[in-house]
Amino acid sequence: NAGVTQTPKFRVLKTGQSMTLLCAQDMNHEYMYWYRQDPGMGLRLIHYSVGEGTTAKGEVPDGYNVSRLKKQNFLLGLESAAPSQTSVYFCASSYQGLMSYEQYFGPGTRLTVT
Amino acid sequence: GENVEQHPSTLSVQEGDSAVIKCTYSDSASNYFPWYKQELGKRPQLIIDIRSNVGEKKDQRIAVTLNKTAKHFSLHITETQPEDSAVYFCAARANVNRGSTLGRLYFGRGTQLTVWP
């Protein structure tokens, strides 16, 4: 099993450009999440999904959109990138059964917006 | 929503000493408290967790304690080794029965632990 994978690993964008980050998981998890990590700020939730076709906002959703068209994939879109979106982005997934709430993280995407 | 605070933000210890990281949470209905370790340039990985019906859990050199009354929980690492050096995050899971929070995790800001040989 590959677990949680993210594409791409690194990306440099110019202000105003758009891009999509792809997250894929092969563990048949219902829940998927997008976080951003900035120095001293911990992991902040951008958006999450509790199942195919559903999405919900986290604590820092502005400037991002998401889609969950297939259970195994969760896409994060930046329509018009800003320097404030320079960050490391982590995707995670979890099963929400009573036995386990563990979130499994992807390797991260380092995004720089100039 | 839930608010998780973590202290200290940095911690330096000598190899062999113990390290303690503390977190507080605000929502008394939170029911699951994991700890994640993130090595430099790597992804966060779960190292230990505890549920609200348990007061203490131990796994070799690491242990977590939970005080529901005071709403705080702590990570204890004994006999620290240089490979324990990493950023540690605590988190609290919102109770799914509390409206729209849908069981999400709320993370603390992290503790950079450095273990000197």
Side-chain angles (χ1 to χ4, degrees), chain B residues 6 9 11 13 27 29 38 47 49 56 71 77 85 99 101 110:
Chain B
Q6 182 172 348
S9 57
L11 179 60
V13 300
D27 187 350
Q38 186 180 27
I47 55 171
D49 56 16
E56 184 174 359
K71 289 187 282 188
I77 306 175
S85 296
T101 48

Side-chain angles (χ1 to χ4, degrees), chain B residues 8-76:
Chain B
S9 57
T10 62
L11 179 60
S12 292
V13 300
Q14 203 74 33
E15 182 178 359
D17 288 349
S18 295
V20 180
I21 303 170
K22 299 181 179 182
C23 288
T24 61
Y25 61 99
S26 60
D27 187 350
S28 58
S30 291
N31 59 2
Y32 170 72
F33 306 91
W35 286 89
Y36 284 81
K37 175 183 180 182
Q38 186 180 27
E39 297 176 353
L40 187 62
K42 301 289 182 64
R43 72 190 79 187
Q45 291 191 298
L46 180 73
I47 55 171
I48 195 167
D49 56 16
I50 191 167
R51 297 189 180 223
S52 57
N53 58 348
V54 176
E56 184 174 359
K57 185 177 179 181
K58 191 173 182 180
D59 182 5
Q60 298 184 347
R61 295 187 297 108
I62 60 173
V64 57
T65 58
L66 171 65
N67 183 327
K68 285 194 299 182
T69 303
K71 289 187 282 188
H72 68 71
F73 56 112
S74 300
L75 177 71
H76 305 255

Side-chain angles (χ1 to χ4, degrees), chain A:
Chain A
N1 288 351
V4 181
T5 58
Q6 292 182 232
T7 310
K9 289 186 171 53
F10 304 93
R11 186 72 186 268
V12 178
L13 287 179
K14 295 187 187 302
T15 297
Q17 288 185 320
S18 64
M19 79 164 294
T20 300
L21 282 68
L22 171 64
C23 177
Q25 53 94 5
D26 61 3
M27 295 176 282
N28 201 34
H29 286 164
E30 292 93 352
Y31 284 28
M32 296 187 75
Y33 315 82
W34 275 107
Y35 294 93
R36 60 177 290 172
Q37 184 175 33
D38 303 292
M41 297 299 292
L43 291 157
R44 293 186 291 170
L45 186 65
I46 305 171
H47 286 281
Y48 62 112
S49 169
V50 300
E52 183 177 321
T54 73
T55 62
K57 293 181 179 180
E59 59 190 299
V60 288
D62 294 342
Y64 306 94
N65 56 74
V66 287
S67 64
R68 184 101 180 265
L69 298 180
K70 293 182 179 181
K71 185 177 183 178
Q72 64 267 33
N73 294 339
F74 195 28
L75 278 64
L76 178 70
L78 286 73
E79 290 187 348
S80 180
S84 61
Q85 294 177 305
T86 293
S87 188
V88 179
Y89 292 86
F90 285 99
C91 175
S93 69
S94 70
Y95 173 64
Q96 285 291 315
L98 292 177
M99 298 305 294
S100 176
Y101 302 135
E102 179 178 356
Q103 289 191 14
Y104 295 81
F105 284 83
T109 295
R110 185 173 294 275
L111 175 66
T112 302
V113 183
T114 62

